[in-house]
Coordinates of all heavy atoms in Angstrom, one line a residue:
M1164 N -275.3 -26.2 64.1 CA -275.8 -25.5 62.9 C -276.8 -24.4 63.4 O -276.9 -23.4 62.7 CB -276.6 -26.6 62.1 CG -277.1 -26.1 60.8 SD -277.4 -27.4 59.7 CE -278.7 -26.6 58.7
L1165 N -277.6 -24.6 64.4 CA -278.5 -23.6 64.9 C -277.8 -22.3 65.3 O -278.2 -21.2 65.2 CB -279.3 -24.1 66.2 CG -280.4 -25.1 65.8 CD1 -281.0 -25.5 67.1 CD2 -281.4 -24.7 64.8
G1166 N -276.5 -22.5 65.8 CA -275.7 -21.3 66.2 C -275.5 -20.3 65.1 O -275.4 -19.2 65.3
D1167 N -275.4 -20.9 63.8 CA -275.2 -20.0 62.7 C -276.4 -19.1 62.5 O -276.2 -17.9 62.2 CB -275.1 -20.9 61.4 CG -273.8 -21.7 61.3 OD1 -273.0 -21.4 62.2 OD2 -273.7 -22.6 60.5
Y1168 N -277.6 -19.5 62.7 CA -278.7 -18.7 62.5 C -279.0 -17.7 63.7 O -279.6 -16.8 63.6 CB -280.0 -19.5 62.3 CG -279.9 -20.4 61.1 CD1 -279.8 -21.8 61.2 CD2 -280.0 -19.8 59.9 CE1 -279.7 -22.6 60.1 CE2 -280.0 -20.6 58.7 CZ -279.8 -21.9 58.9 OH -279.6 -22.7 57.7
L1169 N -278.4 -18.1 64.9 CA -278.7 -17.3 66.0 C -277.4 -16.7 66.6 O -277.4 -16.2 67.7 CB -279.2 -18.2 67.1 CG -280.6 -19.0 66.8 CD1 -281.0 -20.0 67.8 CD2 -281.7 -18.0 66.4
S1170 N -276.4 -16.5 65.7 CA -275.2 -15.9 66.2 C -275.3 -14.4 66.7 O -274.5 -13.9 67.4 CB -274.1 -16.0 65.0 OG -274.6 -15.2 63.9
H1171 N -276.4 -13.8 66.2 CA -276.5 -12.4 66.6 C -277.4 -12.2 67.9 O -277.5 -11.1 68.3 CB -277.2 -11.6 65.4 CG -278.4 -12.2 65.0 ND1 -278.5 -13.3 64.2 CD2 -279.8 -11.9 65.3 CE1 -279.8 -13.7 64.0 NE2 -280.5 -12.8 64.6
V1172 N -278.0 -13.3 68.4 CA -278.9 -13.2 69.5 C -277.9 -13.2 70.7 O -277.0 -14.0 70.9 CB -279.8 -14.4 69.6 CG1 -280.7 -14.4 70.8 CG2 -280.7 -14.5 68.4
E1173 N -278.1 -12.1 71.5 CA -277.2 -11.9 72.7 C -277.8 -12.6 74.0 O -276.9 -13.0 74.8 CB -277.0 -10.4 72.9 CG -276.3 -9.7 71.7 CD -276.3 -8.3 71.7 OE1 -277.0 -7.7 72.6 OE2 -275.8 -7.7 70.8
D1174 N -279.1 -12.5 74.2 CA -279.7 -13.0 75.4 C -279.8 -14.5 75.3 O -280.4 -15.1 74.4 CB -281.0 -12.4 75.6 CG -281.7 -12.7 76.9 OD1 -281.9 -13.9 77.2 OD2 -282.1 -11.8 77.6
T1175 N -279.2 -15.2 76.3 CA -279.1 -16.7 76.3 C -280.5 -17.3 76.5 O -280.8 -18.4 75.9 CB -278.1 -17.3 77.4 OG1 -278.5 -16.7 78.6 CG2 -276.7 -16.8 77.0
E1176 N -281.4 -16.7 77.3 CA -282.7 -17.3 77.5 C -283.5 -17.1 76.2 O -284.2 -18.1 75.8 CB -283.4 -16.6 78.6 CG -282.8 -16.9 80.0 CD -283.5 -16.2 81.2 OE1 -284.5 -15.5 80.9 OE2 -283.0 -16.2 82.3
I1177 N -283.4 -16.1 75.5 CA -284.1 -15.9 74.3 C -283.6 -16.8 73.2 O -284.3 -17.4 72.4 CB -284.1 -14.4 73.8 CG1 -284.8 -13.5 74.8 CG2 -284.6 -14.2 72.3 CD1 -284.8 -12.0 74.5
R1178 N -282.2 -17.0 73.2 CA -281.6 -17.9 72.3 C -282.2 -19.3 72.5 O -282.5 -20.0 71.5 CB -280.1 -18.0 72.5 CG -279.4 -19.0 71.6 CD -277.9 -19.1 71.9 NE -277.2 -17.9 71.6 CZ -276.6 -17.6 70.5 NH1 -276.6 -18.4 69.6 NH2 -276.0 -16.5 70.4
S1179 N -282.3 -19.8 73.7 CA -282.9 -21.1 73.9 C -284.3 -21.3 73.4 O -284.7 -22.3 72.9 CB -282.8 -21.5 75.4 OG -283.6 -20.8 76.2
V1180 N -285.2 -20.2 73.6 CA -286.5 -20.3 73.0 C -286.5 -20.3 71.5 O -287.2 -21.0 70.9 CB -287.3 -19.0 73.5 CG1 -288.6 -18.8 72.8 CG2 -287.5 -19.0 75.0
L1181 N -285.6 -19.5 70.9 CA -285.5 -19.6 69.5 C -284.9 -20.9 68.9 O -285.4 -21.4 67.9 CB -284.6 -18.4 69.0 CG -285.1 -17.0 69.2 CD1 -284.1 -15.9 68.9 CD2 -286.4 -16.8 68.4
E1182 N -284.0 -21.5 69.6 CA -283.6 -22.8 69.3 C -284.7 -23.9 69.3 O -284.8 -24.7 68.4 CB -282.4 -23.3 70.2 CG -281.1 -22.6 70.0 CD -280.0 -22.9 71.0 OE1 -280.4 -23.6 72.0 OE2 -278.9 -22.5 70.7
F1183 N -285.5 -23.8 70.3 CA -286.7 -24.7 70.5 C -287.6 -24.4 69.2 O -288.1 -25.4 68.6 CB -287.4 -24.5 71.7 CG -288.7 -25.4 71.8 CD1 -288.6 -26.7 72.1 CD2 -289.9 -24.7 71.8 CE1 -289.7 -27.5 72.2 CE2 -291.0 -25.5 71.9 CZ -290.9 -26.9 72.1
A1184 N -287.9 -23.2 68.9 CA -288.8 -22.8 67.8 C -288.2 -23.3 66.5 O -289.0 -23.8 65.7 CB -289.0 -21.2 67.8
I1185 N -286.9 -23.2 66.3 CA -286.3 -23.7 65.0 C -286.5 -25.2 64.9 O -286.9 -25.8 63.9 CB -284.9 -23.3 64.9 CG1 -284.8 -21.8 64.7 CG2 -284.2 -24.1 63.8 CD1 -283.4 -21.3 64.7
Q1186 N -286.2 -25.9 66.1 CA -286.4 -27.4 66.1 C -287.8 -27.8 65.8 O -288.1 -28.7 65.0 CB -285.9 -27.9 67.4 CG -284.4 -27.8 67.6 CD -283.9 -28.2 69.0 OE1 -284.7 -28.3 69.8 NE2 -282.6 -28.3 69.1
L1187 N -288.7 -27.1 66.4 CA -290.1 -27.4 66.2 C -290.6 -27.2 64.8 O -291.3 -28.0 64.2 CB -291.0 -26.5 67.2 CG -292.5 -26.8 67.4 CD1 -292.7 -28.2 67.8 CD2 -293.1 -25.8 68.2
S1188 N -290.1 -26.1 64.2 CA -290.4 -25.8 62.8 C -289.9 -26.8 61.9 O -290.6 -27.2 60.9 CB -289.9 -24.4 62.4 OG -290.4 -23.4 63.2
R1189 N -288.6 -27.3 62.1 CA -288.1 -28.3 61.3 C -288.8 -29.6 61.4 O -289.1 -30.3 60.4 CB -286.6 -28.5 61.6 CG -285.8 -27.3 61.1 CD -284.3 -27.6 61.5 NE -283.5 -26.5 60.9 CZ -282.3 -26.3 61.3 NH1 -281.7 -27.1 62.1 NH2 -281.6 -25.3 60.7
A1190 N -289.3 -29.9 62.5 CA -290.1 -31.1 62.7 C -291.4 -31.0 61.9 O -291.9 -32.0 61.3 CB -290.4 -31.4 64.2
H1191 N -292.1 -29.8 62.0 CA -293.3 -29.6 61.2 C -293.1 -29.7 59.8 O -293.9 -30.3 59.0 CB -293.9 -28.2 61.6 CG -294.7 -28.3 62.9 ND1 -295.9 -28.9 63.1 CD2 -294.3 -27.7 64.1 CE1 -296.3 -28.7 64.3 NE2 -295.4 -28.1 65.0
V1192 N -292.0 -29.1 59.3 CA -291.7 -29.2 57.8 C -291.5 -30.7 57.4 O -292.0 -31.1 56.4 CB -290.5 -28.3 57.5 CG1 -290.0 -28.7 56.1 CG2 -290.8 -26.9 57.6
Q1193 N -290.8 -31.5 58.2 CA -290.6 -32.9 57.9 C -291.9 -33.6 57.9 O -292.1 -34.5 57.0 CB -289.6 -33.5 58.9 CG -288.2 -33.1 58.6 CD -287.7 -33.4 57.2 OE1 -287.9 -34.4 56.6 NE2 -287.1 -32.4 56.6
K1194 N -292.7 -33.4 58.8 CA -294.1 -34.0 58.9 C -294.9 -33.7 57.6 O -295.5 -34.5 57.0 CB -294.8 -33.7 60.1 CG -296.0 -34.4 60.4 CD -295.8 -35.9 60.6 CE -297.2 -36.5 61.0 NZ -297.0 -38.0 61.1
L1195 N -294.9 -32.4 57.2 CA -295.7 -32.0 56.2 C -295.2 -32.5 54.9 O -295.9 -32.9 54.0 CB -295.7 -30.4 56.1 CG -296.6 -29.7 57.2 CD1 -296.3 -28.2 57.1 CD2 -298.0 -30.1 57.1
K1196 N -293.8 -32.6 54.8 CA -293.2 -33.2 53.6 C -293.6 -34.7 53.5 O -293.9 -35.1 52.4 CB -291.7 -33.1 53.8 CG -290.9 -33.5 52.6 CD -289.4 -33.3 52.8 CE -288.6 -33.7 51.6 NZ -287.2 -33.4 51.8
S1197 N -293.7 -35.4 54.6 CA -294.1 -36.7 54.5 C -295.5 -36.9 54.1 O -295.9 -37.8 53.4 CB -293.9 -37.4 55.8 OG -294.9 -37.0 56.8
F1198 N -296.4 -36.0 54.4 CA -297.8 -36.0 53.9 C -297.8 -35.8 52.3 O -298.5 -36.5 51.6 CB -298.6 -34.9 54.5 CG -299.0 -35.0 55.9 CD1 -299.0 -34.1 56.8 CD2 -299.5 -36.3 56.3 CE1 -299.3 -34.2 58.1 CE2 -299.9 -36.5 57.7 CZ -299.8 -35.5 58.6
F1199 N -297.0 -34.9 51.8 CA -296.9 -34.8 50.4 C -296.4 -36.0 49.7 O -296.9 -36.4 48.7 CB -296.0 -33.6 50.0 CG -296.7 -32.2 50.2 CD1 -296.5 -31.4 51.3 CD2 -297.5 -31.7 49.2 CE1 -297.1 -30.2 51.4 CE2 -298.1 -30.5 49.2 CZ -297.9 -29.7 50.4
I1200 N -295.3 -36.5 50.2 CA -294.7 -37.8 49.6 C -295.7 -38.9 49.7 O -295.9 -39.6 48.7 CB -293.4 -38.1 50.3 CG1 -292.3 -37.0 50.0 CG2 -292.9 -39.4 49.9 CD1 -291.1 -37.1 50.8
E1201 N -296.4 -39.1 50.8 CA -297.3 -40.2 50.9 C -298.5 -40.1 49.9 O -298.9 -41.1 49.4 CB -297.9 -40.1 52.3 CG -298.9 -41.2 52.7 CD -299.5 -41.1 54.1 OE1 -298.7 -40.7 55.0 OE2 -300.7 -41.3 54.3
E1202 N -298.9 -38.9 49.6 CA -300.0 -38.7 48.7 C -299.4 -38.5 47.2 O -300.3 -38.3 46.3 CB -300.8 -37.4 49.0 CG -301.6 -37.6 50.3 CD -302.6 -38.7 50.2 OE1 -303.3 -38.9 49.2 OE2 -302.7 -39.4 51.3
Q1203 N -298.2 -38.7 47.1 CA -297.5 -38.5 45.7 C -297.8 -37.2 45.1 O -298.0 -37.1 43.9 CB -297.9 -39.7 44.8 CG -297.6 -41.0 45.4 CD -298.0 -42.2 44.6 OE1 -298.7 -42.0 43.6 NE2 -297.5 -43.4 44.8
Y1204 N -297.8 -36.2 45.9 CA -297.8 -34.8 45.4 C -296.3 -34.3 45.4 O -295.5 -34.6 46.2 CB -298.6 -33.9 46.4 CG -300.1 -34.1 46.3 CD1 -300.8 -34.3 47.5 CD2 -300.8 -34.1 45.1 CE1 -302.2 -34.5 47.4 CE2 -302.1 -34.3 45.0 CZ -302.9 -34.5 46.2 OH -304.2 -34.7 46.2
P1205 N -296.1 -33.3 44.5 CA -294.7 -32.7 44.5 C -294.6 -31.9 45.8 O -295.5 -31.2 46.2 CB -294.7 -31.9 43.2 CG -296.1 -31.8 42.8 CD -296.9 -32.8 43.4
V1206 N -293.4 -32.0 46.4 CA -293.1 -31.2 47.6 C -292.7 -29.8 47.1 O -291.8 -29.6 46.3 CB -291.9 -31.9 48.3 CG1 -291.6 -31.0 49.6 CG2 -292.3 -33.3 48.7
P1207 N -293.4 -28.8 47.6 CA -293.0 -27.4 47.2 C -291.7 -27.0 47.7 O -291.1 -27.5 48.7 CB -294.1 -26.5 48.0 CG -295.1 -27.5 48.5 CD -294.5 -28.9 48.5
D1208 N -291.0 -26.2 46.8 CA -289.7 -25.7 47.1 C -289.8 -24.7 48.3 O -289.0 -24.9 49.3 CB -289.0 -25.0 46.0 CG -288.6 -26.1 44.9 OD1 -288.4 -27.2 45.3 OD2 -288.6 -25.7 43.7
G1209 N -290.6 -23.8 48.2 CA -290.8 -22.8 49.3 C -289.5 -22.1 49.6 O -288.7 -21.8 48.8
F1210 N -289.3 -21.8 50.9 CA -288.2 -21.0 51.4 C -287.0 -21.8 51.5 O -287.1 -22.9 52.0 CB -288.5 -20.5 52.8 CG -287.6 -19.5 53.4 CD1 -287.5 -18.3 53.0 CD2 -286.7 -20.0 54.4 CE1 -286.6 -17.4 53.6 CE2 -285.7 -19.2 55.0 CZ -285.7 -17.8 54.6
S1211 N -285.9 -21.4 51.0 CA -284.6 -22.2 51.0 C -283.6 -21.5 51.9 O -283.3 -20.3 51.7 CB -284.1 -22.3 49.6 OG -282.8 -22.8 49.6
E1212 N -283.1 -22.3 52.8 CA -282.0 -21.7 53.7 C -280.7 -21.3 52.8 O -280.0 -20.4 53.2 CB -281.6 -22.7 54.8 CG -282.8 -22.9 55.8 CD -282.4 -24.0 56.8 OE1 -281.3 -24.4 56.9 OE2 -283.3 -24.4 57.5
K1213 N -280.5 -22.1 51.8 CA -279.3 -22.0 51.0 C -279.4 -20.7 50.1 O -278.5 -20.0 49.9 CB -278.9 -23.1 50.2 CG -278.6 -24.3 51.0 CD -278.3 -25.6 50.2 CE -278.0 -26.7 51.2 NZ -277.9 -28.0 50.4
L1214 N -280.6 -20.5 49.5 CA -280.8 -19.4 48.5 C -281.4 -18.2 49.2 O -281.1 -17.1 48.6 CB -281.7 -19.8 47.4 CG -281.2 -21.1 46.6 CD1 -282.3 -21.5 45.6 CD2 -279.9 -20.7 45.9
D1215 N -282.1 -18.2 50.2 CA -282.8 -17.1 50.7 C -282.3 -16.5 52.0 O -282.8 -15.6 52.5 CB -284.3 -17.5 51.0 CG -284.9 -17.9 49.6 OD1 -284.8 -17.3 48.6 OD2 -285.7 -18.9 49.7
V1216 N -281.2 -17.0 52.6 CA -280.7 -16.5 53.8 C -279.3 -16.1 53.6 O -278.4 -16.8 53.1 CB -280.7 -17.7 54.9 CG1 -280.1 -17.2 56.2 CG2 -282.2 -18.1 55.1
N1217 N -279.1 -14.8 54.0 CA -277.7 -14.3 54.0 C -277.2 -14.2 55.4 O -277.7 -13.2 56.2 CB -277.6 -13.0 53.2 CG -276.2 -12.4 53.1 OD1 -275.3 -12.9 53.8 ND2 -276.0 -11.3 52.4
K1218 N -276.4 -15.0 55.9 CA -276.0 -14.9 57.3 C -275.0 -13.8 57.6 O -274.7 -13.7 58.8 CB -275.3 -16.4 57.6 CG -276.3 -17.5 57.5 CD -275.6 -18.8 57.8 CE -276.4 -20.0 57.4 NZ -275.8 -21.3 57.5
E1219 N -274.5 -13.3 56.6 CA -273.6 -12.1 56.8 C -274.2 -10.8 57.0 O -273.5 -9.8 57.3 CB -272.6 -12.0 55.6 CG -271.9 -13.3 55.3 CD -271.1 -13.9 56.4 OE1 -270.4 -13.1 57.1 OE2 -271.1 -15.1 56.7
T1220 N -275.5 -10.7 56.9 CA -276.2 -9.3 57.1 C -276.2 -8.9 58.6 O -276.2 -9.8 59.4 CB -277.6 -9.4 56.6 OG1 -278.3 -10.4 57.3 CG2 -277.6 -9.7 55.1
P1221 N -276.2 -7.6 58.8 CA -276.2 -7.2 60.2 C -277.6 -7.4 60.8 O -278.6 -7.6 60.0 CB -275.9 -5.7 60.1 CG -276.3 -5.4 58.7 CD -276.0 -6.5 57.9
R1222 N -277.7 -7.5 62.0 CA -279.0 -7.8 62.7 C -280.0 -6.7 62.4 O -279.6 -5.6 62.3 CB -278.8 -8.0 64.2 CG -278.4 -6.8 65.0 CD -278.2 -7.0 66.5 NE -279.5 -7.4 67.1 CZ -279.6 -8.2 68.2 NH1 -278.5 -8.7 68.7 NH2 -280.8 -8.5 68.7
L1223 N -281.2 -7.0 62.3 CA -282.3 -6.1 62.0 C -283.1 -5.8 63.3 O -283.7 -4.7 63.3 CB -283.2 -6.7 61.0 CG -282.6 -6.9 59.5 CD1 -283.6 -7.5 58.7 CD2 -282.1 -5.5 59.0
F1224 N -283.2 -6.7 64.2 CA -284.1 -6.5 65.3 C -283.4 -6.9 66.7 O -282.4 -7.6 66.7 CB -285.3 -7.5 65.2 CG -286.0 -7.4 63.9 CD1 -285.8 -8.4 62.9 CD2 -286.8 -6.3 63.6 CE1 -286.5 -8.3 61.7 CE2 -287.5 -6.2 62.4 CZ -287.3 -7.2 61.5
L1225 N -283.9 -6.3 67.7 CA -283.4 -6.6 69.1 C -284.0 -7.9 69.4 O -285.0 -8.4 68.9 CB -283.9 -5.5 70.0 CG -283.4 -4.1 69.8 CD1 -284.0 -3.1 70.8 CD2 -281.9 -4.1 69.9
D1226 N -283.3 -8.6 70.4 CA -283.7 -9.9 70.9 C -285.1 -10.0 71.3 O -285.8 -11.0 71.0 CB -282.8 -10.4 72.0 CG -281.4 -10.6 71.5 OD1 -281.1 -10.6 70.3 OD2 -280.5 -10.9 72.4
N1227 N -285.6 -8.9 72.0 CA -287.0 -9.0 72.5 C -288.0 -9.0 71.3 O -289.1 -9.6 71.5 CB -287.3 -7.7 73.3 CG -286.6 -7.8 74.6 OD1 -286.2 -8.9 75.1 ND2 -286.4 -6.7 75.2
F1228 N -287.7 -8.5 70.1 CA -288.6 -8.5 69.1 C -288.9 -10.0 68.6 O -290.0 -10.3 68.3 CB -288.1 -7.8 67.9 CG -289.0 -7.9 66.7 CD1 -290.2 -7.1 66.6 CD2 -288.7 -8.7 65.6 CE1 -291.0 -7.3 65.5 CE2 -289.5 -8.9 64.6 CZ -290.7 -8.1 64.5
Y1229 N -287.8 -10.9 68.7 CA -288.0 -12.2 68.3 C -289.1 -12.9 69.2 O -289.9 -13.7 68.7 CB -286.7 -13.0 68.4 CG -285.7 -12.5 67.5 CD1 -284.5 -12.1 67.9 CD2 -286.0 -12.4 66.1 CE1 -283.5 -11.5 67.1 CE2 -285.0 -11.9 65.2 CZ -283.8 -11.5 65.7 OH -282.8 -11.0 64.8
L1230 N -289.1 -12.6 70.5 CA -290.1 -13.2 71.3 C -291.5 -12.7 71.0 O -292.5 -13.4 71.0 CB -289.8 -12.9 72.8 CG -288.6 -13.6 73.4 CD1 -288.3 -13.2 74.9 CD2 -288.7 -15.1 73.3
F1231 N -291.6 -11.4 70.8 CA -292.8 -10.8 70.4 C -293.4 -11.4 69.1 O -294.5 -11.8 69.0 CB -292.6 -9.3 70.2 CG -293.8 -8.5 69.6 CD1 -294.9 -8.1 70.4 CD2 -293.9 -8.2 68.2 CE1 -296.0 -7.5 69.9 CE2 -294.9 -7.5 67.7 CZ -296.0 -7.2 68.5
Y1232 N -292.5 -11.7 68.1 CA -292.9 -12.3 66.9 C -293.4 -13.7 67.1 O -294.4 -14.1 66.6 CB -291.8 -12.3 65.9 CG -292.1 -13.0 64.6 CD1 -292.8 -12.4 63.6 CD2 -291.7 -14.3 64.5 CE1 -293.1 -13.0 62.4 CE2 -291.9 -15.0 63.3 CZ -292.7 -14.4 62.3 OH -293.0 -15.0 61.2
L1233 N -292.6 -14.5 67.9 CA -293.0 -15.9 68.1 C -294.4 -15.9 68.8 O -295.2 -16.7 68.5 CB -291.9 -16.6 69.0 CG -290.7 -17.0 68.3 CD1 -289.7 -17.7 69.3 CD2 -291.0 -18.0 67.1
Q1234 N -294.6 -15.0 69.8 CA -295.9 -15.1 70.5 C -297.0 -14.8 69.5 O -298.0 -15.5 69.6 CB -295.9 -14.0 71.6 CG -297.2 -13.9 72.4 CD -297.2 -12.7 73.4 OE1 -296.5 -11.8 73.2 NE2 -298.0 -12.9 74.4
N1235 N -296.9 -13.8 68.7 CA -297.9 -13.4 67.8 C -298.1 -14.4 66.6 O -299.2 -14.7 66.3 CB -297.7 -12.1 67.3 CG -298.0 -11.0 68.3 OD1 -299.2 -10.8 68.6 ND2 -297.0 -10.4 68.9
I1236 N -297.0 -15.0 66.1 CA -297.3 -16.0 65.0 C -297.8 -17.3 65.6 O -298.5 -18.0 65.0 CB -295.9 -16.2 64.3 CG1 -296.2 -16.8 62.9 CG2 -295.0 -17.1 65.0 CD1 -296.8 -16.0 62.0
G1237 N -297.6 -17.5 66.9 CA -298.1 -18.7 67.6 C -299.6 -18.5 67.8 O -300.4 -19.4 67.6
K1238 N -300.1 -17.2 68.0 CA -301.5 -17.0 68.1 C -302.1 -17.3 66.7 O -303.3 -17.8 66.6 CB -301.8 -15.6 68.5 CG -301.4 -15.4 70.0 CD -301.6 -13.9 70.4 CE -301.2 -13.7 71.8 NZ -301.4 -12.2 72.1
V1239 N -301.5 -16.8 65.7 CA -302.1 -17.0 64.3 C -302.1 -18.4 64.0 O -303.1 -19.0 63.4 CB -301.2 -16.2 63.2 CG1 -301.5 -16.6 61.9 CG2 -301.3 -14.7 63.5
G1240 N -301.1 -19.1 64.3 CA -301.0 -20.6 64.1 C -302.2 -21.4 64.8 O -302.7 -22.2 64.2
L1241 N -302.4 -20.9 66.1 CA -303.6 -21.6 66.8 C -304.8 -21.4 66.0 O -305.7 -22.2 65.9 CB -303.6 -21.1 68.1 CG -302.5 -21.5 69.2 CD1 -302.6 -20.8 70.5 CD2 -302.7 -23.1 69.4
E1242 N -305.1 -20.2 65.5 CA -306.3 -19.9 64.8 C -306.4 -20.7 63.5 O -307.5 -21.3 63.2 CB -306.4 -18.4 64.4 CG -306.5 -17.4 65.6 CD -306.6 -16.1 65.2 OE1 -307.1 -15.7 64.1 OE2 -306.1 -15.2 65.9
F1243 N -305.3 -20.8 62.8 CA -305.4 -21.6 61.5 C -305.4 -23.0 61.8 O -306.2 -23.8 61.0 CB -304.2 -21.2 60.6 CG -304.3 -19.9 59.9 CD1 -303.5 -18.9 60.3 CD2 -305.2 -19.8 58.9 CE1 -303.7 -17.6 59.6 CE2 -305.3 -18.6 58.2 CZ -304.6 -17.5 58.5
Y1244 N -304.8 -23.6 62.8 CA -304.9 -25.0 63.1 C -306.3 -25.4 63.6 O -306.7 -26.4 63.3 CB -303.8 -25.3 64.2 CG -302.5 -25.8 63.6 CD1 -301.9 -25.1 62.5 CD2 -301.7 -26.8 64.2 CE1 -300.6 -25.5 62.0 CE2 -300.6 -27.2 63.7 CZ -300.0 -26.5 62.6 OH -298.8 -26.9 62.1
T1245 N -306.9 -24.5 64.3 CA -308.3 -24.7 64.7 C -309.2 -24.9 63.5 O -310.0 -25.8 63.4 CB -308.8 -23.6 65.6 OG1 -307.9 -23.5 66.8 CG2 -310.2 -23.8 66.1
M1246 N -309.0 -23.9 62.5 CA -309.9 -24.0 61.3 C -309.6 -25.3 60.5 O -310.4 -25.9 60.0 CB -309.7 -22.7 60.5 CG -310.3 -21.5 61.1 SD -310.2 -20.1 60.0 CE -308.5 -19.7 60.1
A1247 N -308.2 -25.6 60.4 CA -307.9 -26.7 59.6 C -308.4 -28.1 60.3 O -308.8 -28.9 59.6 CB -306.4 -26.8 59.5
L1248 N -308.3 -28.1 61.6 CA -308.8 -29.3 62.3 C -310.3 -29.5 62.1 O -310.8 -30.6 61.9 CB -308.5 -29.1 63.8 CG -308.9 -30.3 64.7 CD1 -308.3 -31.6 64.3 CD2 -308.6 -30.0 66.2
A1249 N -311.1 -28.4 62.2 CA -312.5 -28.5 62.0 C -312.8 -29.0 60.6 O -313.9 -29.5 60.3 CB -313.1 -27.1 62.1
N1250 N -311.9 -28.8 59.6 CA -312.2 -29.1 58.2 C -311.4 -30.4 57.8 O -311.7 -30.8 56.6 CB -311.9 -27.9 57.2 CG -312.8 -26.8 57.5 OD1 -314.0 -26.9 57.3 ND2 -312.3 -25.6 57.9
A1251 N -310.6 -31.0 58.6 CA -309.8 -32.1 58.2 C -310.8 -33.4 58.2 O -311.5 -33.6 59.0 CB -308.7 -32.3 59.2
A1252 N -310.6 -34.2 57.1 CA -311.3 -35.4 57.0 C -310.5 -36.6 57.3 O -311.0 -37.7 57.6 CB -311.9 -35.5 55.6
R1253 N -309.2 -36.5 57.3 CA -308.3 -37.6 57.6 C -307.8 -37.6 59.1 O -307.5 -36.6 59.6 CB -307.1 -37.5 56.7 CG -307.4 -37.7 55.2 CD -306.2 -37.5 54.3 NE -305.0 -37.8 54.9 CZ -303.8 -37.6 54.2 NH1 -303.8 -37.3 53.0 NH2 -302.7 -38.0 54.7
L1254 N -307.8 -38.8 59.6 CA -307.4 -38.9 61.0 C -305.9 -38.5 61.2 O -305.7 -37.9 62.2 CB -307.5 -40.5 61.4 CG -307.1 -40.8 62.9 CD1 -308.0 -39.9 63.8 CD2 -307.3 -42.2 63.2
D1255 N -305.0 -38.9 60.3 CA -303.6 -38.5 60.4 C -303.5 -36.9 60.4 O -302.7 -36.4 61.1 CB -302.7 -39.1 59.4 CG -303.1 -38.8 58.0 OD1 -304.2 -38.3 57.7 OD2 -302.2 -39.0 57.0
L1256 N -304.3 -36.3 59.6 CA -304.2 -34.8 59.6 C -304.8 -34.2 61.0 O -304.3 -33.3 61.5 CB -304.9 -34.2 58.4 CG -304.2 -34.4 57.1 CD1 -305.1 -33.9 56.0 CD2 -302.8 -33.8 57.1
C1257 N -305.8 -34.8 61.4 CA -306.4 -34.4 62.8 C -305.4 -34.6 63.8 O -305.3 -33.7 64.7 CB -307.7 -35.2 63.1 SG -309.1 -34.8 62.0
E1258 N -304.6 -35.7 63.8 CA -303.6 -35.9 64.8 C -302.5 -34.9 64.7 O -302.0 -34.4 65.7 CB -303.1 -37.3 64.7 CG -304.1 -38.3 65.1 CD -303.6 -39.8 64.8 OE1 -302.6 -40.0 64.1 OE2 -304.3 -40.7 65.2
Y1259 N -302.2 -34.6 63.4 CA -301.1 -33.5 63.2 C -301.5 -32.2 63.8 O -300.8 -31.5 64.5 CB -300.8 -33.5 61.7 CG -299.9 -32.2 61.4 CD1 -298.6 -32.3 61.7 CD2 -300.4 -31.1 60.9 CE1 -297.8 -31.2 61.5 CE2 -299.6 -30.0 60.6 CZ -298.2 -30.1 60.9 OH -297.4 -29.0 60.6
F1260 N -302.8 -31.8 63.6 CA -303.2 -30.5 64.0 C -303.4 -30.4 65.5 O -303.6 -29.3 66.1 CB -304.5 -30.1 63.3 CG -304.2 -29.7 61.8 CD1 -304.9 -30.4 60.9 CD2 -303.3 -28.8 61.5 CE1 -304.7 -30.1 59.6 CE2 -303.1 -28.5 60.1 CZ -303.8 -29.1 59.1
T1261 N -303.4 -31.6 66.2 CA -303.6 -31.6 67.7 C -302.3 -31.9 68.4 O -302.4 -32.2 69.6 CB -304.8 -32.5 68.1 OG1 -304.5 -33.8 67.5 CG2 -306.1 -32.0 67.5
E1262 N -301.2 -32.2 67.7 CA -300.0 -32.5 68.4 C -299.5 -31.4 69.3 O -299.6 -30.3 69.1 CB -298.8 -32.8 67.4 CG -299.0 -34.1 66.7 CD -297.9 -34.4 65.6 OE1 -297.2 -33.5 65.3 OE2 -297.8 -35.5 65.2

């Protein structure tokens, strides 16, 4: 299934990094979903792979851009997780932000 999303990636090393990033993202989404369900909050619809992704479109970026993007979004994530950890009152959320 990951191959569908990465069919346009030519560099095998970059593909393996992107596969790992997708798997990590899916794990995070599942964990966050469990927090919502546990607290009996409605789970947001958000981005939908079925409705918001057109796999037939031509590639927009070179493979190197994906690494650049992952590096920079990782930095942003570290900043936000640090702020969230400092403000988290629940132990399970503290553990989530430090995984």
